[in-house]
Amino acid sequence: MEVTAELSYALNTFYFLVCGALVMWMAAGFAMLEAGLVRSKNTTEILTKNIVLFAVACTMYMLVGYEIMYPSLSNFMLDGITAENLDNGYAPSADFFFQVVFVATAMSIVSGAVAERMKLLAFLIFAVVMTGVIYPMEGNWTWGGDPVFGMYTLGDLGFSDFAGSGIVHMAGAAAGVAGVLVIGARKGKYTADGKVNAIPGANMPLATLGTFILWMGWFGFNGGSVLATATVSDATAVANVFMNTNAAAAGGCIAALTVAKLMFGKFDLTMALNGCLAGLVAITAEPSTPTALQATLFGALGGALVVFSIVTLDKMKFDDPVGAVSVHGVVGLLGLLLVPITNSEASSFSGQLIGAATIFGWVFVASFVTFKVIGFITPVRVSEEEEYEGSDISECGLEAYPEFTTGR
């Protein structure tokens, strides 16, 4: 059946917008997940970070980020982006909306890694740089298709990342690693003799709700990256991506819970939640070409890996309260390396490794330098007294659960 250009344009634009809204909803998922996995005295500050970082991401990507990432599509502050363009197959402004929510996702990952001990102002200054420059630059080299510092084009080397296992998730984790190394661990997390003290989260129902929201939002994250849905082939590709995204999350959950039970003797909910997310990250680099069984197995690999990664990083005294670096960084790399198994035409293992090194290297170094520079402007870490009292009071002046402390 023939589809007119205008109808195709309308369908693709609408699909972009719906998927963008689903990805935007992931911001709520990250907020709930992080709020559930931190202590109650830091909940308000976590929620403040998550809603403000989304606003900062939208503004900075509008001002400079989109032009850096896609210089051929936009001028300064999206000048001319509101015009119709049938050649694109969808409204240019819909593409911007879809892209900007990805930027916010990368920044949300940093929030989890540095939770409970970073000053809010310092975090927001970093968000300005991350969403306005650091992320758009590596996005320009990858999805933008431009050479890396004028040297080589990642796509020509065999690098492929369908929806962002590396470009979004590993990039966010790389910035998180830089932040953790600069800021250090939470007080009391590790003892001088090397013992690791667990610091349980305050609200497991919230963390579970956040995971379900992220699982749902990921259908827009991966499905929207097909970039079209107006033809039979595009619609079939979208359906396959949805199917594989769901299968990978399920496989990750089952594998993580199984590994945790074998290692700890208990059914660890937090590992199951991170297993779901790990499965989703693992399939994000290539959700269109695997079979459903392959997607489930890829997700299971991610789910098993994330448990070992979280335990290993803890032993290395790398304090990541929500497991963000393990879920998005370690498993993000795994996702990139799985691509050639089912899509060898568009990728190679060497190309994936070079692409991963390029993304991680740029984001880590740029973020580390940025954190250090911010430290000359304003304190990056809360004081010992503020950390003991909780960021809710010291940073926001508002408790998330006041009845537990005031007796009202």
Side-chain angles (χ1 to χ4, degrees):
M1 183 178 71
E2 184 178 351
V3 180
T4 66
E6 288 194 359
L7 178 57
S8 176
Y9 184 92
L11 287 171
N12 289 336
T13 296
F14 180 72
Y15 180 64
F16 248 150
L17 296 175
V18 170
C19 286
L22 280 172
V23 180
M24 184 273 173
W25 186 230
M26 291 174 69
F30 280 114
M32 295 301 97
L33 177 68
E34 292 173 24
L37 293 179
V38 300
R39 289 166 289 184
S40 59
K41 63 183 180 180
N42 297 306
T43 305
T44 298
E45 193 265 352
I46 285 288
L47 298 176
T48 304
K49 278 199 306 185
N50 273 274
I51 196 165
V52 178
L53 77 83
F54 188 87
V56 168
C58 292
T59 304
M60 290 307 301
Y61 201 61
M62 181 270 293
L63 291 174
V64 294
Y66 191 61
E67 184 183 1
I68 291 173
M69 192 163 172
Y70 298 106
S72 63
L73 300 180
S74 173
N75 297 317
F76 181 62
M77 289 193 290
L78 309 186
D79 182 43
I81 201 173
T82 57
E84 298 176 1
N85 190 339
L86 281 175
D87 292 336
N88 278 354
Y90 46 79
S93 51
D95 177 67
F96 168 79
F97 175 67
F98 185 69
Q99 294 292 338
V100 75
V101 290
F102 275 58
V103 187
T105 298
M107 191 61 216
S108 295
I109 296 165
V110 186
S111 171
V114 300
E116 300 203 281
R117 73 272 203 202
M118 185 172 185
K119 295 286 285 185
L120 182 56
L121 177 59
F123 177 84
L124 295 178
I125 294 173
F126 178 77
V128 169
V129 181
M130 177 70 178
T131 59
V133 179
I134 298 175
Y135 172 89
M137 185 65 73
E138 59 96 4
N140 174 258
W141 300 330
T142 49
W143 285 331
D146 283 347
V148 180
F149 292 126
M151 295 186 296
Y152 55 85
T153 301
L154 290 173
D156 292 340
L157 296 179
F159 176 78
S160 176
D161 189 357
F162 187 90
S165 286
I167 297 168
V168 179
H169 294 278
M170 192 175 66
V177 171
V180 172
L181 292 180
V182 170
I183 299 167
R186 291 169 292 176
K187 295 295 183 183
K189 176 65 177 177
Y190 306 110
T191 62
D193 60 2
K195 181 183 177 183
V196 179
N197 294 320
I199 302 179
N203 196 320
M204 290 301 103
L206 267 190
T208 305
L209 174 63
T211 302
F212 272 119
I213 292 173
L214 288 168
W215 191 332
M216 177 182 174
W218 229 286
F219 295 125
F221 200 97
N222 288 355
S225 296
V226 176
L227 306 181
T229 192
T231 66
V232 171
S233 60
D234 287 336
T236 302
V238 167
N240 291 339
V241 168
F242 270 56
M243 175 185 68
N244 287 340
T245 298
N246 190 64
C253 179
I254 294 168
L257 189 67
T258 302
V259 172
K261 173 63 174 175
L262 294 174
M263 290 180 67
F264 315 132
K266 301 291 183 182
F267 291 108
D268 191 316
L269 173 62
T270 61
M271 289 300 181
L273 299 180
N274 276 327
C276 294
L277 301 179
L280 290 162
V281 171
I283 200 63
T284 293
E286 184 47 83
S288 63
T289 54
T291 65
L293 177 58
Q294 286 175 320
T296 304
L297 293 175
F298 291 169
L301 283 175
L305 177 61
V306 80
V307 178
F308 290 109
S309 177
I310 289 172
V311 172
T312 300
L313 289 179
D314 243 357
K315 290 180 179 178
M316 295 170 61
K317 297 187 177 182
F318 184 92
D319 187 15
D320 180 358
V322 304
V325 170
S326 294
V327 170
H328 303 277
V330 175
V331 180
L333 175 61
L334 171 67
L336 291 177
L337 297 179
L338 291 173
V339 175
I341 295 175
T342 61
N343 191 2
S344 58
E345 294 182 3
S347 64
S348 65
F349 285 110
S350 61
Q352 297 300 92
L353 286 170
I354 294 172
T358 300
I359 294 168
F360 188 91
W362 158 253
V363 177
F364 173 78
V365 172
S367 298
F368 190 87
V369 171
T370 301
F371 278 117
K372 286 292 189 180
V373 171
I374 292 172
F376 290 111
I377 302 171
T378 185
V380 177
R381 180 172 179 135
V382 298
S383 68
E384 189 169 343
E385 181 181 349
E386 289 172 331
E387 186 173 354
Y388 176 80
E389 183 182 53
S391 296
D392 286 2
I393 295 297
S394 64
E395 294 285 84
C396 303
L398 178 67
E399 294 176 284
Y401 309 104
E403 67 275 15
F404 295 134
T405 55
T406 64
R408 297 173 186 170

